[in-house]
Amino acid sequence: MSLLRTFAATIVCAVAVTTAAAKGPVKPIYAFGYATCLGDSTVYTSAIQQLEGAQLTKKKSMLVNREQYSHQMERYMRSTDGKVYTCAIFYAKSRKKAEKQMVSLRRQCARQKEKMVELPADAFAFTALTAEE
């Protein structure tokens, strides 16, 4: 299994842990989704988008409800071709940092000779979730 896919599987396992509720003002969070199918060398990413109403936990700056955001991407990808995908969400407090994460992911995919396909912004968008959901 490639390093990138192992990393994605680790992230998905980590997001299953319950998070503490966020406190404080809501600041913009920028995120993009990542999806890979273990039987395919193509990985998919969503466009970078601002998550409306998203919050980070106070202590560790973890995205609240990140597992639900990952499931949104998984459901969308499964509906496109019926395959099972492993999905993760990458997020940052600024658009610039999110873009850096995307560039880093592209480089990793290129090194591992994986094709990276970015889904059009109008094809997939995360649905806003609040801390209570």
Side-chain angles (χ1 to χ4, degrees):
M1 188 179 326
S2 72
L3 178 64
L4 185 59
R5 290 186 183 174
T6 303
F7 177 72
T10 303
I11 287 177
V12 171
C13 290
V15 298
V17 176
T18 307
T19 61
K23 293 183 171 118
V26 177
K27 296 179 183 175
I29 304 295
Y30 297 89
F32 65 93
Y34 168 88
T36 183
C37 181
L38 297 178
D40 193 1
S41 64
T42 303
V43 296
Y44 298 89
T45 60
S46 68
I48 296 173
Q49 51 196 281
Q50 183 175 346
L51 298 179
E52 297 295 329
Q55 295 180 322
L56 300 177
T57 59
K58 190 172 183 180
K59 286 187 176 182
K60 304 229 181 202
S61 291
M62 298 295 289
L63 181 64
V64 175
N65 295 323
R66 62 192 178 281
E67 61 276 357
Q68 281 95 358
Y69 286 112
S70 295
H71 288 305
Q72 287 179 19
M73 178 104 178
E74 181 184 6
R75 284 190 299 271
Y76 170 77
M77 292 304 297
R78 188 175 286 195
S79 71
T80 60
D81 61 8
K83 293 181 183 177
V84 177
Y85 286 88
T86 302
C87 299
I89 183 167
F90 291 83
Y91 59 93
K93 293 180 183 178
S94 71
R95 185 169 190 85
K96 186 175 181 178
K97 287 182 181 179
E99 289 170 353
K100 282 184 178 183
Q101 288 177 333
M102 178 79 81
V103 168
S104 175
L105 193 60
R106 279 193 187 117
R107 285 186 189 139
Q108 242 182 345
C109 288
R111 270 192 304 243
Q112 295 175 1
K113 297 184 178 28
E114 294 177 320
K115 181 181 174 186
M116 187 172 182
V117 176
E118 186 171 334
L119 301 171
D122 60 345
F124 173 75
F126 290 107
T127 304
L129 298 172
T130 60
E132 293 80 36
E133 291 183 48

